[in-house]
Amino acid sequence: MGLAVESYDLVVIGCGPAGEKGAAQAAYFGKRVAVVDRWPEPGGVTVHTGTIPSKTLREAALYLTGFRRSELYGMTLRLDRERSLRQLVGRLRDVTDRQVRQIRRNLERHRITTVAGTARFLGPRLVGVFDAEGREVRRLSAEVVLIAVGSSPLPPRGLSFDDPDVEDSDRILDLDRIPRSLVVVGGGVVGCEYASVFAALGTRVTLVEGRDRLLGFLDAELSAALRIALERLGARVLLGDAVESVSREPGLAANALKLTFRSGRVQQADKVLFSAGRRGNVDGLDLPAAGVAFDERGRIGVDADFLTSAPGVYAAGDVVGFPALSATSMEQGRVAMRRAFGIGSASPVATLFPYGIYTVPEISTIGLTEEEARGRGLPYEVGRARYENNARGQITGDVDGFVKLLFDPESKALLGAHVIGGNATELIHVPAMVMAHGGTLEAFLHAVFNVPTLSECFKYAAYDGLQRLTHREGGAPLEATPVSPAGSAAPGARAWFVGADLTDPYAREPRPVTLAFLDRWRRVHFGQWSFDLRGEGMLPDSVVREGFVLAIDGPQGLSAPGRAMRESERLLRAAGKSGPALPRPGERPYAGFVAGSVTLFSALRRKGWGLLGEVPHEATVLLEVYPGDLWPRWAGYRMPRKSLAAGRHARYDLLRGLGLDLPVGREAVTHDQLDAAAAALAAYLWATGKAREVGEPPAFDPEAGLVREGYIVTV
């Protein structure tokens, strides 16, 4: 004798975000609902292995390690790895239990029947429920069926998870220890999140991504900033590579896994996390019995109402593919049931939604990226505001965060917003509401924000955008110039800030040019370069590839000595540096424009490196600075001559006080190195909005055949 068929208005398969909210929506309007779930507790991946646990781990890690607070207050914290593991696991269980109780209360409040077991279609809108031994225990029929079974990690091709230390994103939280080293394979959202969290816990992390950048769907500027942030945490980021084999080295208690990379690199690791995408959990459902079509990755095709290829059968959440977010899955479940039963509001799921990435630091984005705007041929302008210029950011020590707004230059309508830094996933809702109501930059300019708050950044990003627009409309750039790969990210997100202390290449005994390479953490190392009028060999390929801003000190090769030389410099620094104000051959003083930085600027420009004032600020890689002006401005007094030991010591101490980590000691540093480091710091300050430019755009001198410098960066 067969099982009796139980009839419902709605049967939901899966009790993750889409299933729970879809069931509650139908029940709210009086429908009789049953939910079938194979998990012992409701909540799905979001509650048990994904969104909630991973974000809980993140917050616990930041708390236990005193992240950023230890640096801010000069503390030294040592992580007790065994005790911390107990605290982490305890916190994960506590939050999971709270979420499960909350979901159970929601189901009970809506009088929804919950059925434990594995669901399988026996026919159109007929579902059998099977126990762990494969026995059918119940049979359910319904007017409507909602499939909300979620997804699972895809196994890497040619590799297996047989080794207990080779993890996927669903198992990584079953912690038996905090690994001392971890290789994360895959630079998507999950991979970047776990890489940053374990790096914050003190694990030596290597993140491997086969493409040329992390999180390829992000605005490139945020992607570059995230890479810098990961490296600051101590993580190693390998792009354009892949893991081809994993084996266990016998007899090793730690770092027992041996990984071989496509590039030939070999590395040992304590654990490996593969994050290579996900697949819909459709195995065992027997979707063909219901007439439901799906693809090779288990994704079920749906229309705008979330109706599948089978009448009365709907699907929502991860199993339908992009965007596979808990927030959108909830709305998909609700909308699907409203459409299925013709109840409530007919509004669709919003096509404009925020995307939150819980890395360290957080990232959140909504709307168009710069790359998308360019790809569509849309005119746009950008406004930015950095946390380090914001009072709240300075209080919390969050100096790497920033807000970026894209807007239409004519209407000022907001096209996109991107935030990286503390509270990014909360802050993004401010521009999200502006965009949802068709707002413009005026919404930020006329709003009053609490002080001090990070939300103020939106107002100042709007001001910055309008200033850029004014500059763009009023400027008179030279002929179009190709921009080097360094222009792929805005200056503040680049990896290197380089200062060049030039010497006169035509001097009787010219010295090699001193270069200072400053990274985002103000760590400096010095190099030397033999001056080449074509600019060949000046910067290493890695610096050009990763992005840079190069600051070159003022015109060299001045023929007039002493006071006359200073007068010549003064004239050269006059606005525009062109026209009758400049001395000509035969006059005194006369500056030899065929030598030094003027020629070098022109040579580098021909290589495609953008010059300040000639190309937009975000494309600029070449600046002109005068260390002789920077020193007294920073110090607040006239310093001893740099050729004297007292002058070098004073400048060295000043740079250390400004946060530079110099690789040489007070006694060994040269004045060339100090000037180069000052120029590099000026480049960093300009790129992060804390220095200004004076003068006018560069001018092309047809008589000399050179571009004469225009804007000078000062503080």
Side-chain angles (χ1 to χ4, degrees), residues 234-438:
R236 185 182 182 195
V237 179
L238 302 178
L239 300 178
D241 209 344
V243 173
E244 293 196 334
S245 68
V246 180
S247 60
R248 178 169 287 276
E249 296 282 279
L252 294 181
N255 292 327
L257 297 179
K258 179 181 177 182
L259 292 85
T260 303
F261 293 78
R262 185 172 57 202
S263 61
R265 180 187 286 109
V266 176
Q267 183 171 332
Q268 303 287 129
D270 211 15
K271 279 184 178 288
V272 178
L273 166 62
F274 281 96
S275 176
R278 300 181 71 86
R279 185 180 189 278
N281 291 327
V282 298
D283 293 344
L285 276 178
D286 196 3
L287 293 178
V292 175
F294 59 98
D295 66 15
E296 69 282 357
R297 292 191 65 169
R299 293 172 298 204
I300 297 175
V302 294
D303 64 13
D305 295 333
F306 298 96
L307 178 65
T308 70
S309 55
V313 180
Y314 292 74
D318 282 15
V319 77
V320 304
F322 181 84
L325 299 170
S326 296
T328 52
S329 296
M330 292 176 183
E331 286 307 304
Q332 288 173 356
R334 293 183 180 111
V335 169
M337 294 304 93
R338 289 199 295 265
R339 299 294 176 82
F341 292 107
I343 54 179
S345 168
S347 60
V349 175
T351 55
L352 186 68
F353 52 84
Y355 208 116
I357 303 168
Y358 292 85
T359 45
V360 180
E362 287 181 26
I363 297 174
S364 202
T365 179
I366 188 169
L368 295 180
T369 66
E370 274 202 76
E371 294 72 33
E372 288 171 336
R374 282 198 297 268
R376 299 182 189 182
L378 297 176
Y380 71 91
E381 187 51 89
V382 175
R384 298 179 183 83
R386 300 191 66 83
Y387 282 21
E388 61 187 340
N389 297 329
N390 171 274
R392 187 62 174 268
Q394 292 165 357
I395 291 169
T396 61
D398 192 350
V399 297
D400 293 321
F402 63 87
V403 165
K404 177 177 181 178
L405 303 178
L406 267 70
F407 63 95
D408 180 87
E410 184 174 348
S411 68
K412 313 298 187 297
L414 192 60
L415 303 175
H418 312 277
V419 186
I420 182 169
N423 296 321
T425 54
E426 298 284 352
L427 292 170
I428 199 66
H429 297 112
V430 176
M433 294 307 295
V434 171
M435 294 179 71
H437 293 87

Side-chain angles (χ1 to χ4, degrees), residues 443-460:
F444 302 115
L445 298 175
H446 298 313
V448 176
F449 294 95
N450 280 329
V451 176
T453 61
L454 294 173
S455 298
E456 283 184 283
C457 287
F458 292 114
K459 180 187 284 284
Y460 291 102

Side-chain angles (χ1 to χ4, degrees), residues 515-666:
L515 300 174
F517 299 87
L518 171 71
D519 65 21
R520 284 286 286 119
W521 310 284
R522 305 196 183 194
R523 298 176 301 201
V524 179
H525 69 265
F526 294 113
Q528 288 189 327
W529 171 61
S530 296
F531 190 95
D532 181 280
L533 286 174
R534 297 167 300 173
E536 296 296 332
M538 187 174 191
L539 301 184
D541 290 341
S542 60
V543 171
V544 176
R545 183 171 59 251
E546 294 173 7
F548 67 94
V549 178
L550 171 61
I552 301 175
D553 61 1
Q556 306 294 312
L558 299 171
S559 60
R563 182 179 299 174
M565 179 175 171
R566 290 194 294 274
E567 175 65 13
S568 180
E569 281 194 292
R570 187 188 67 77
L571 290 170
L572 288 171
R573 289 163 53 189
K577 298 193 214 46
S578 60
L582 284 173
R584 292 295 177 183
E587 300 178 9
R588 299 283 295 176
Y590 169 61
F593 277 111
V594 296
S597 62
V598 178
T599 303
L600 180 59
F601 269 107
S602 296
L604 296 178
R605 175 182 172 274
R606 285 192 293 271
K607 293 170 71 72
W609 295 1
L611 180 63
L612 178 60
E614 183 183 5
V615 294
H617 279 55
E618 53 265 32
T620 299
V621 292
L622 298 177
L623 308 178
E624 179 186 347
V625 300
Y626 281 78
D629 281 348
L630 299 173
W631 292 118
R633 288 178 180 271
W634 281 328
Y637 64 93
R638 185 174 180 178
M639 308 180 80
R641 292 198 307 272
K642 63 184 180 183
S643 58
L644 301 175
R648 293 196 301 275
H649 293 171
R651 287 165 174 78
Y652 179 89
D653 292 341
L654 178 58
L655 290 178
R656 290 296 300 270
L658 292 171
L660 267 62
D661 182 3
L662 298 172
V664 291
R666 199 165 177 256

